[in-house]
PDB file of all heavy atoms in Angstrom:
ATOM      1  N   LEU A 319       5.453 -17.728  19.970  1.00 84.00           N
ATOM      2  CA  LEU A 319       5.031 -19.107  20.215  1.00 84.00           C
ATOM      3  C   LEU A 319       6.164 -19.950  20.785  1.00 84.00           C
ATOM      4  O   LEU A 319       5.970 -20.704  21.759  1.00 84.00           O
ATOM      5  CB  LEU A 319       4.513 -19.729  18.922  1.00 84.00           C
ATOM      6  CG  LEU A 319       3.116 -19.309  18.458  1.00 84.00           C
ATOM      7  CD1 LEU A 319       2.808 -19.896  17.091  1.00 84.00           C
ATOM      8  CD2 LEU A 319       2.061 -19.745  19.464  1.00 84.00           C
ATOM      9  N   GLU A 320       7.346 -19.836  20.194  1.00 84.00           N
ATOM     10  CA  GLU A 320       8.478 -20.629  20.662  1.00 84.00           C
ATOM     11  C   GLU A 320       8.950 -20.167  22.042  1.00 84.00           C
ATOM     12  O   GLU A 320       9.403 -20.987  22.846  1.00 84.00           O
ATOM     13  CB  GLU A 320       9.630 -20.544  19.657  1.00 84.00           C
ATOM     14  CG  GLU A 320       9.347 -21.240  18.342  1.00 84.00           C
ATOM     15  CD  GLU A 320       8.998 -22.704  18.550  1.00 84.00           C
ATOM     16  OE1 GLU A 320       9.771 -23.420  19.223  1.00 84.00           O
ATOM     17  OE2 GLU A 320       7.937 -23.125  18.063  1.00 84.00           O
ATOM     18  N   THR A 321       8.837 -18.889  22.332  1.00 85.00           N
ATOM     19  CA  THR A 321       9.206 -18.394  23.659  1.00 85.00           C
ATOM     20  C   THR A 321       8.289 -18.973  24.724  1.00 85.00           C
ATOM     21  O   THR A 321       8.723 -19.301  25.838  1.00 85.00           O
ATOM     22  CB  THR A 321       9.131 -16.855  23.696  1.00 85.00           C
ATOM     23  OG1 THR A 321      10.045 -16.319  22.726  1.00 85.00           O
ATOM     24  CG2 THR A 321       9.505 -16.310  25.064  1.00 85.00           C
ATOM     25  N   ALA A 322       6.994 -19.113  24.385  1.00 81.00           N
ATOM     26  CA  ALA A 322       6.029 -19.643  25.346  1.00 81.00           C
ATOM     27  C   ALA A 322       6.090 -21.161  25.468  1.00 81.00           C
ATOM     28  O   ALA A 322       5.748 -21.708  26.513  1.00 81.00           O
ATOM     29  CB  ALA A 322       4.609 -19.215  24.952  1.00 81.00           C
ATOM     30  N   ARG A 323       6.549 -21.855  24.401  1.00 78.00           N
ATOM     31  CA  ARG A 323       6.487 -23.308  24.375  1.00 78.00           C
ATOM     32  C   ARG A 323       7.791 -24.004  24.729  1.00 78.00           C
ATOM     33  O   ARG A 323       7.779 -25.093  25.308  1.00 78.00           O
ATOM     34  CB  ARG A 323       6.039 -23.786  22.985  1.00 78.00           C
ATOM     35  CG  ARG A 323       4.620 -23.475  22.612  1.00 78.00           C
ATOM     36  CD  ARG A 323       4.309 -23.898  21.184  1.00 78.00           C
ATOM     37  NE  ARG A 323       4.600 -25.312  20.953  1.00 78.00           N
ATOM     38  CZ  ARG A 323       5.593 -25.767  20.200  1.00 78.00           C
ATOM     39  NH1 ARG A 323       6.427 -24.920  19.616  1.00 78.00           N
ATOM     40  NH2 ARG A 323       5.778 -27.055  20.048  1.00 78.00           N
ATOM     41  N   THR A 324       8.929 -23.433  24.340  1.00 74.00           N
ATOM     42  CA  THR A 324      10.194 -24.146  24.430  1.00 74.00           C
ATOM     43  C   THR A 324      11.273 -23.284  25.082  1.00 74.00           C
ATOM     44  O   THR A 324      11.060 -22.122  25.389  1.00 74.00           O
ATOM     45  CB  THR A 324      10.686 -24.569  23.026  1.00 74.00           C
ATOM     46  OG1 THR A 324      11.031 -23.396  22.278  1.00 74.00           O
ATOM     47  CG2 THR A 324       9.611 -25.332  22.279  1.00 74.00           C
ATOM     48  N   ASP A 325      12.436 -23.895  25.254  1.00 76.00           N
ATOM     49  CA  ASP A 325      13.612 -23.185  25.773  1.00 76.00           C
ATOM     50  C   ASP A 325      14.627 -22.939  24.663  1.00 76.00           C
ATOM     51  O   ASP A 325      15.838 -22.969  24.881  1.00 76.00           O
ATOM     52  CB  ASP A 325      14.268 -24.002  26.895  1.00 76.00           C
ATOM     53  CG  ASP A 325      13.387 -24.072  28.126  1.00 76.00           C
ATOM     54  OD1 ASP A 325      12.840 -23.028  28.532  1.00 76.00           O
ATOM     55  OD2 ASP A 325      13.238 -25.178  28.680  1.00 76.00           O
ATOM     56  N   TRP A 326      14.128 -22.688  23.445  1.00 72.00           N
ATOM     57  CA  TRP A 326      15.027 -22.560  22.292  1.00 72.00           C
ATOM     58  C   TRP A 326      15.971 -21.368  22.417  1.00 72.00           C
ATOM     59  O   TRP A 326      17.000 -21.323  21.762  1.00 72.00           O
ATOM     60  CB  TRP A 326      14.217 -22.459  21.008  1.00 72.00           C
ATOM     61  CG  TRP A 326      13.490 -21.157  20.844  1.00 72.00           C
ATOM     62  CD1 TRP A 326      12.592 -20.615  21.707  1.00 72.00           C
ATOM     63  CD2 TRP A 326      13.606 -20.237  19.760  1.00 72.00           C
ATOM     64  NE1 TRP A 326      12.125 -19.420  21.230  1.00 72.00           N
ATOM     65  CE2 TRP A 326      12.729 -19.159  20.036  1.00 72.00           C
ATOM     66  CE3 TRP A 326      14.328 -20.219  18.582  1.00 72.00           C
ATOM     67  CZ2 TRP A 326      12.588 -18.064  19.178  1.00 72.00           C
ATOM     68  CZ3 TRP A 326      14.180 -19.129  17.727  1.00 72.00           C
ATOM     69  CH2 TRP A 326      13.326 -18.078  18.023  1.00 72.00           C
ATOM     70  N   LEU A 327      15.621 -20.401  23.271  1.00 72.00           N
ATOM     71  CA  LEU A 327      16.494 -19.251  23.500  1.00 72.00           C
ATOM     72  C   LEU A 327      17.171 -19.344  24.868  1.00 72.00           C
ATOM     73  O   LEU A 327      17.570 -18.326  25.434  1.00 72.00           O
ATOM     74  CB  LEU A 327      15.692 -17.948  23.402  1.00 72.00           C
ATOM     75  CG  LEU A 327      15.153 -17.604  22.005  1.00 72.00           C
ATOM     76  CD1 LEU A 327      14.218 -16.416  22.064  1.00 72.00           C
ATOM     77  CD2 LEU A 327      16.304 -17.332  21.038  1.00 72.00           C
ATOM     78  N   GLY A 328      17.302 -20.562  25.352  1.00 73.00           N
ATOM     79  CA  GLY A 328      17.876 -20.750  26.677  1.00 73.00           C
ATOM     80  C   GLY A 328      19.296 -20.234  26.803  1.00 73.00           C
ATOM     81  O   GLY A 328      19.738 -19.886  27.911  1.00 73.00           O
ATOM     82  N   PHE A 329      20.035 -20.174  25.694  1.00 73.00           N
ATOM     83  CA  PHE A 329      21.417 -19.691  25.753  1.00 73.00           C
ATOM     84  C   PHE A 329      21.493 -18.215  26.149  1.00 73.00           C
ATOM     85  O   PHE A 329      22.557 -17.725  26.542  1.00 73.00           O
ATOM     86  CB  PHE A 329      22.110 -19.903  24.406  1.00 73.00           C
ATOM     87  CG  PHE A 329      21.517 -19.109  23.272  1.00 73.00           C
ATOM     88  CD1 PHE A 329      21.998 -17.846  22.964  1.00 73.00           C
ATOM     89  CD2 PHE A 329      20.470 -19.639  22.528  1.00 73.00           C
ATOM     90  CE1 PHE A 329      21.457 -17.125  21.922  1.00 73.00           C
ATOM     91  CE2 PHE A 329      19.924 -18.913  21.482  1.00 73.00           C
ATOM     92  CZ  PHE A 329      20.422 -17.650  21.179  1.00 73.00           C
ATOM     93  N   LEU A 330      20.350 -17.498  26.064  1.00 76.00           N
ATOM     94  CA  LEU A 330      20.325 -16.094  26.488  1.00 76.00           C
ATOM     95  C   LEU A 330      20.114 -15.942  27.988  1.00 76.00           C
ATOM     96  O   LEU A 330      20.186 -14.827  28.515  1.00 76.00           O
ATOM     97  CB  LEU A 330      19.223 -15.329  25.738  1.00 76.00           C
ATOM     98  CG  LEU A 330      19.411 -15.176  24.228  1.00 76.00           C
ATOM     99  CD1 LEU A 330      18.205 -14.491  23.616  1.00 76.00           C
ATOM    100  CD2 LEU A 330      20.686 -14.385  23.927  1.00 76.00           C
ATOM    101  N   GLY A 331      19.834 -17.052  28.652  1.00 77.00           N
ATOM    102  CA  GLY A 331      19.641 -17.005  30.100  1.00 77.00           C
ATOM    103  C   GLY A 331      18.399 -16.223  30.482  1.00 77.00           C
ATOM    104  O   GLY A 331      17.328 -16.401  29.894  1.00 77.00           O
ATOM    105  N   ASP A 332      18.527 -15.327  31.443  1.00 76.00           N
ATOM    106  CA  ASP A 332      17.390 -14.549  31.917  1.00 76.00           C
ATOM    107  C   ASP A 332      16.933 -13.492  30.912  1.00 76.00           C
ATOM    108  O   ASP A 332      15.902 -12.850  31.119  1.00 76.00           O
ATOM    109  CB  ASP A 332      17.745 -13.855  33.238  1.00 76.00           C
ATOM    110  CG  ASP A 332      17.929 -14.852  34.378  1.00 76.00           C
ATOM    111  OD1 ASP A 332      17.357 -15.964  34.273  1.00 76.00           O
ATOM    112  OD2 ASP A 332      18.627 -14.541  35.352  1.00 76.00           O
ATOM    113  N   ALA A 333      17.714 -13.293  29.852  1.00 79.00           N
ATOM    114  CA  ALA A 333      17.343 -12.314  28.821  1.00 79.00           C
ATOM    115  C   ALA A 333      16.630 -12.971  27.641  1.00 79.00           C
ATOM    116  O   ALA A 333      16.479 -12.348  26.588  1.00 79.00           O
ATOM    117  CB  ALA A 333      18.578 -11.573  28.334  1.00 79.00           C
ATOM    118  N   ALA A 334      16.162 -14.204  27.814  1.00 80.00           N
ATOM    119  CA  ALA A 334      15.522 -14.921  26.712  1.00 80.00           C
ATOM    120  C   ALA A 334      14.189 -14.300  26.309  1.00 80.00           C
ATOM    121  O   ALA A 334      13.647 -14.634  25.258  1.00 80.00           O
ATOM    122  CB  ALA A 334      15.314 -16.390  27.097  1.00 80.00           C
ATOM    123  N   PHE A 335      13.663 -13.398  27.122  1.00 84.00           N
ATOM    124  CA  PHE A 335      12.406 -12.728  26.783  1.00 84.00           C
ATOM    125  C   PHE A 335      12.619 -11.581  25.788  1.00 84.00           C
ATOM    126  O   PHE A 335      11.659 -11.092  25.180  1.00 84.00           O
ATOM    127  CB  PHE A 335      11.751 -12.155  28.050  1.00 84.00           C
ATOM    128  CG  PHE A 335      12.527 -11.037  28.681  1.00 84.00           C
ATOM    129  CD1 PHE A 335      12.320  -9.712  28.299  1.00 84.00           C
ATOM    130  CD2 PHE A 335      13.475 -11.304  29.659  1.00 84.00           C
ATOM    131  CE1 PHE A 335      13.045  -8.680  28.880  1.00 84.00           C
ATOM    132  CE2 PHE A 335      14.206 -10.269  30.231  1.00 84.00           C
ATOM    133  CZ  PHE A 335      13.996  -8.962  29.844  1.00 84.00           C
ATOM    134  N   VAL A 336      13.865 -11.150  25.611  1.00 86.00           N
ATOM    135  CA  VAL A 336      14.149  -9.951  24.802  1.00 86.00           C
ATOM    136  C   VAL A 336      13.714 -10.101  23.346  1.00 86.00           C
ATOM    137  O   VAL A 336      13.116  -9.166  22.787  1.00 86.00           O
ATOM    138  CB  VAL A 336      15.640  -9.585  24.899  1.00 86.00           C
ATOM    139  CG1 VAL A 336      15.990  -8.466  23.922  1.00 86.00           C
ATOM    140  CG2 VAL A 336      15.989  -9.172  26.325  1.00 86.00           C
ATOM    141  N   PRO A 337      13.976 -11.235  22.647  1.00 89.00           N
ATOM    142  CA  PRO A 337      13.541 -11.335  21.243  1.00 89.00           C
ATOM    143  C   PRO A 337      12.042 -11.128  21.056  1.00 89.00           C
ATOM    144  O   PRO A 337      11.625 -10.478  20.085  1.00 89.00           O
ATOM    145  CB  PRO A 337      13.967 -12.753  20.848  1.00 89.00           C
ATOM    146  CG  PRO A 337      15.146 -13.034  21.718  1.00 89.00           C
ATOM    147  CD  PRO A 337      14.805 -12.393  23.031  1.00 89.00           C
ATOM    148  N   ALA A 338      11.221 -11.670  21.958  1.00 89.00           N
ATOM    149  CA  ALA A 338       9.770 -11.491  21.830  1.00 89.00           C
ATOM    150  C   ALA A 338       9.394 -10.022  21.980  1.00 89.00           C
ATOM    151  O   ALA A 338       8.544  -9.502  21.248  1.00 89.00           O
ATOM    152  CB  ALA A 338       9.038 -12.339  22.870  1.00 89.00           C
ATOM    153  N   MET A 339      10.036  -9.339  22.910  1.00 91.00           N
ATOM    154  CA  MET A 339       9.759  -7.914  23.107  1.00 91.00           C
ATOM    155  C   MET A 339      10.233  -7.106  21.905  1.00 91.00           C
ATOM    156  O   MET A 339       9.533  -6.203  21.432  1.00 91.00           O
ATOM    157  CB  MET A 339      10.433  -7.419  24.381  1.00 91.00           C
ATOM    158  CG  MET A 339      10.114  -5.968  24.719  1.00 91.00           C
ATOM    159  SD  MET A 339      10.800  -5.473  26.302  1.00 91.00           S
ATOM    160  CE  MET A 339      12.562  -5.583  25.952  1.00 91.00           C
ATOM    161  N   LEU A 340      11.418  -7.429  21.373  1.00 92.00           N
ATOM    162  CA  LEU A 340      11.945  -6.719  20.214  1.00 92.00           C
ATOM    163  C   LEU A 340      11.057  -6.927  18.986  1.00 92.00           C
ATOM    164  O   LEU A 340      10.924  -6.019  18.148  1.00 92.00           O
ATOM    165  CB  LEU A 340      13.363  -7.177  19.915  1.00 92.00           C
ATOM    166  CG  LEU A 340      14.437  -6.721  20.903  1.00 92.00           C
ATOM    167  CD1 LEU A 340      15.803  -7.263  20.493  1.00 92.00           C
ATOM    168  CD2 LEU A 340      14.493  -5.198  20.994  1.00 92.00           C
ATOM    169  N   ALA A 341      10.463  -8.113  18.863  1.00 92.00           N
ATOM    170  CA  ALA A 341       9.554  -8.361  17.739  1.00 92.00           C
ATOM    171  C   ALA A 341       8.373  -7.400  17.790  1.00 92.00           C
ATOM    172  O   ALA A 341       7.940  -6.876  16.749  1.00 92.00           O
ATOM    173  CB  ALA A 341       9.069  -9.814  17.776  1.00 92.00           C
ATOM    174  N   GLY A 342       7.861  -7.134  18.988  1.00 91.00           N
ATOM    175  CA  GLY A 342       6.787  -6.160  19.135  1.00 91.00           C
ATOM    176  C   GLY A 342       7.242  -4.755  18.810  1.00 91.00           C
ATOM    177  O   GLY A 342       6.503  -3.969  18.204  1.00 91.00           O
ATOM    178  N   VAL A 343       8.466  -4.423  19.193  1.00 93.00           N
ATOM    179  CA  VAL A 343       9.025  -3.098  18.893  1.00 93.00           C
ATOM    180  C   VAL A 343       9.168  -2.909  17.387  1.00 93.00           C
ATOM    181  O   VAL A 343       8.914  -1.809  16.855  1.00 93.00           O
ATOM    182  CB  VAL A 343      10.374  -2.908  19.612  1.00 93.00           C
ATOM    183  CG1 VAL A 343      11.044  -1.615  19.163  1.00 93.00           C
ATOM    184  CG2 VAL A 343      10.184  -2.907  21.125  1.00 93.00           C
ATOM    185  N   VAL A 344       9.570  -3.945  16.671  1.00 94.00           N
ATOM    186  CA  VAL A 344       9.722  -3.865  15.216  1.00 94.00           C
ATOM    187  C   VAL A 344       8.376  -3.562  14.556  1.00 94.00           C
ATOM    188  O   VAL A 344       8.291  -2.754  13.613  1.00 94.00           O
ATOM    189  CB  VAL A 344      10.319  -5.174  14.663  1.00 94.00           C
ATOM    190  CG1 VAL A 344      10.194  -5.231  13.140  1.00 94.00           C
ATOM    191  CG2 VAL A 344      11.772  -5.298  15.075  1.00 94.00           C
ATOM    192  N   LEU A 345       7.309  -4.178  15.045  1.00 94.00           N
ATOM    193  CA  LEU A 345       5.989  -3.910  14.483  1.00 94.00           C
ATOM    194  C   LEU A 345       5.557  -2.473  14.767  1.00 94.00           C
ATOM    195  O   LEU A 345       4.935  -1.825  13.911  1.00 94.00           O
ATOM    196  CB  LEU A 345       4.966  -4.898  15.054  1.00 94.00           C
ATOM    197  CG  LEU A 345       5.190  -6.367  14.689  1.00 94.00           C
ATOM    198  CD1 LEU A 345       4.106  -7.234  15.294  1.00 94.00           C
ATOM    199  CD2 LEU A 345       5.233  -6.558  13.181  1.00 94.00           C
TER     200      LEU A 345
END
Side-chain angles (χ1 to χ4, degrees):
L319 284 174
E320 291 303 308
T321 300
R323 292 176 55 250
T324 67
D325 292 315
W326 71 303
L327 293 172
F329 64 91
L330 294 176
D332 292 336
F335 67 89
V336 172
M339 184 175 66
L340 288 179
V343 173
V344 167
L345 295 181

